[in-house]
Amino acid sequence: MLSDAKVRAMKPREKVYRVADSNGLCIEVRPTGAKLWRYRYRYLGKPSMLALGEYPLKSLAEARTERDKARALVKAGTNPSHVVKAERAARQENAEITFASVALEFIAKREREGMGAGSVSRARRLVEKDLASVGGLPVADVSAPLLLSALRKMEARGIVSSAHRARGLAGQVFRYAIATGRAERNPAADLIGALEHRKAKHFASIILPSKIGELLRAIYSYQGSPVTIAALKLAPLVFVRPGELRHAEWSEIDLSKAVWDIPAEKMKMKQPHVVPLSKQAVSILRELQPLTGRGKYVFPGVRSIRRPMSENTINAALRYMGFNSDTMTGHGFRAMARTVLDEELGFPVDYIEHQLAHAVRDVNGRAYNRTTHLPARRKMMQAWSEYLDNLRLAKGEAPQRLSSVG
């Protein structure tokens, strides 16, 4: 049998020679001086040889362990050479399945499912730029410390919110990789609480009644496309999220019943939502219907009626009218309604929150359904539209509170 001393003492010759150890293990010495471990065995009556590694990178003890594994396979009726080739192919395949490739595949899937162009662009930028340090690694080899290192660099640049978004996106990618059999665990889940707390960011909004009047007068004087004008006029009346407004479809709206029924898949909370339409809202939609009513979307894009309005359209129009991003945004109509309906008009918070499609629950912790408080919310939405009309026309008259109108 061999020993480490004997193996170290072996000198190269003009031709390759081998020295046996035991149970099929031998050391092969080449003219170059390289020493390679080999395991000689017979499979189905035919002699075969398996490479086990190079000495001294693989010691004698390690080579004997590898030999014993191979012997066990032979005894079980398996050709160890085939196992090694399969493992090598699997490693090669896993090396090609990188985090970046799986992430971009996942983003493309989300895009086909309706993810907005802006969101797609931001997600790709996170993968290709901010998570580039793990992008080239096999997705199954990305560990929590490696991912955290990438996120820490984002924190160091002062983009804490983006770091949280990157962690969230990475978690979605790992869950997708697990579902498609390319990873076994989600290291992003281990990083919950590991990042700096992000400062709460509120969407800019106008909540002072006199300033709301100025905003509405600017909207009604805006000289843009009819579709954009209609969206601007409707946004404060329905105060849905900008993405929900952009993706509104005529099939969801019943003008005769004055109701907009938004399906669950379009909502942030993944619950169907009902928006009662005031007389003013119905009027705006009836004026727009001859222009876009034959298509799918209420507010189609400029380049194609098969796609909804760009997510930047409302904000761009607000910027054009002189309202910068620190003053008013498309999302700000929600904060406007939430604040004024509560503090100025005194409507019950439950009604407001439910109309905002927030996660409102009753005293027993159960989620309200889509029609909860619907008659009262309908009256609130009509009162809100009348209040906005009064502000726009500078009458300054507030409607009755909901509690007094039944």
Side-chain angles (χ1 to χ4, degrees):
M1 292 178 61
L2 294 173
S3 66
D4 278 321
K6 289 181 179 179
V7 175
R8 284 197 303 271
M10 291 178 182
K11 303 297 182 183
R13 302 173 184 173
E14 291 184 2
K15 295 183 178 181
V16 174
Y17 69 95
R18 300 186 183 101
V19 179
D21 177 53
S22 61
N23 295 322
L25 178 65
C26 66
I27 186 82
E28 178 180 286
V29 184
R30 295 190 172 185
T32 59
K35 300 173 182 179
L36 308 174
W37 294 111
R38 304 295 191 192
Y39 170 54
R40 293 182 290 193
Y41 64 99
R42 298 185 72 84
Y43 181 74
L44 299 179
K46 295 182 180 180
S48 297
M49 185 177 293
L50 180 66
L52 298 181
E54 184 176 355
Y55 180 87
L57 294 177
K58 180 161 289 186
S59 68
L60 174 59
E62 290 172 332
R64 286 171 176 168
T65 299
E66 291 295 320
R67 173 206 60 196
D68 292 343
K69 292 179 182 178
R71 287 189 72 204
L73 289 173
V74 174
K75 289 181 178 180
T78 301
N79 189 336
S81 293
H82 295 170
V83 173
V84 169
K85 289 179 181 178
E87 290 176 346
R88 187 183 301 121
R91 286 194 298 270
Q92 178 63 30
E93 183 180 356
N94 288 337
E96 294 172 356
I97 302 174
T98 64
F99 174 83
S101 67
V102 176
L104 295 176
E105 179 184 320
F106 171 73
I107 294 168
K109 172 180 176 292
R110 291 292 306 278
E111 184 177 20
R112 292 192 298 272
E113 293 171 348
M115 189 180 191
S119 298
V120 169
S121 177
R122 284 190 292 272
R124 285 176 176 162
R125 187 164 58 250
L126 285 174
V127 171
E128 295 171 352
K129 179 183 177 182
D130 297 304
L131 297 177
S133 61
V134 297
L137 299 177
V139 67
D141 291 349
V142 178
S143 63
L146 287 172
L147 180 59
L148 181 60
S149 177
L151 299 176
R152 287 281 188 240
K153 293 177 182 178
M154 299 177 70
E155 285 184 330
R157 286 158 50 202
I159 51 174
V160 177
S161 292
S162 294
H164 280 271
R165 282 194 294 273
R167 190 205 67 80
L169 174 62
Q172 292 177 315
V173 171
F174 285 120
R175 288 194 293 274
Y176 176 69
I178 293 169
T180 54
R182 290 174 284 185
E184 295 183 355
R185 63 182 312 277
N186 174 13
D190 298 332
L191 301 183
I192 295 175
L195 299 177
E196 294 179 16
H197 291 295
R198 47 185 164 186
K199 296 179 181 179
K201 180 181 179 182
H202 300 285
F203 291 97
S205 178
I206 296 173
I207 57 175
L208 190 65
S210 62
K211 296 298 182 181
I212 294 174
E214 293 177 7
L215 170 63
L216 295 173
R217 286 190 289 275
I219 288 175
Y220 274 72
S221 300
Y222 178 67
Q223 300 296 310
S225 75
V227 174
T228 302
I229 293 172
L232 283 166
K233 290 180 177 179
L234 191 64
L237 301 184
V238 295
F239 48 84
V240 295
R241 297 178 180 88
E244 294 156 8
L245 182 70
R246 292 191 308 109
H247 287 87
E249 299 180 25
W250 284 111
S251 61
E252 300 163 358
I253 296 173
D254 189 333
L255 293 178
S256 63
K257 294 182 179 179
V259 67
W260 175 14
D261 211 337
I262 308 178
E265 60 268 21
K266 288 189 176 183
M267 299 299 299
K268 179 179 180 180
M269 306 305 294
K270 300 305 177 185
Q271 295 291 329
H273 184 54
V274 175
V275 181
L277 300 173
S278 65
K279 294 177 182 177
Q280 291 86 339
V282 170
S283 177
I284 292 168
L285 290 168
R286 287 197 186 280
E287 291 180 7
L288 181 63
Q289 194 172 35
L291 295 178
T292 68
R294 293 183 180 180
K296 175 181 179 180
Y297 293 106
V298 177
F299 305 106
V302 175
R303 297 181 179 179
S304 172
I305 62 172
R306 295 182 177 86
R307 298 182 67 87
M309 171 188 290
S310 166
E311 62 181 347
N312 296 320
T313 300
I314 296 294
N315 285 336
L318 290 169
R319 301 296 89 79
Y320 183 84
M321 289 184 279
F323 300 95
N324 61 37
S325 59
D326 295 326
T327 304
M328 187 63 187
T329 65
H331 207 287
F333 291 114
R334 291 170 61 77
M336 175 195 294
R338 172 63 178 84
T339 302
V340 179
L341 282 168
D342 177 18
E343 299 179 4
E344 294 290 332
L345 304 183
F347 286 101
V349 173
D350 278 357
Y351 298 0
I352 302 168
E353 289 293 294
H354 200 69
Q355 194 54 57
L356 286 164
H358 286 165
V360 185
R361 295 183 178 274
D362 64 18
V363 294
N364 296 314
R366 297 170 303 193
Y368 289 135
N369 64 44
R370 58 195 283 277
T371 59
T372 300
H373 302 315
L374 187 56
R377 285 160 46 206
R378 182 179 293 280
K379 293 177 182 178
M380 180 181 71
M381 297 295 275
Q382 184 58 48
W384 173 243
S385 291
E386 291 171 4
Y387 177 76
L388 294 181
D389 276 351
N390 289 338
L391 293 180
R392 177 171 58 87
L393 299 173
K395 293 180 181 179
E397 300 172 3
Q400 291 178 296
R401 297 185 177 207
L402 190 58
S403 58
S404 65
V405 295

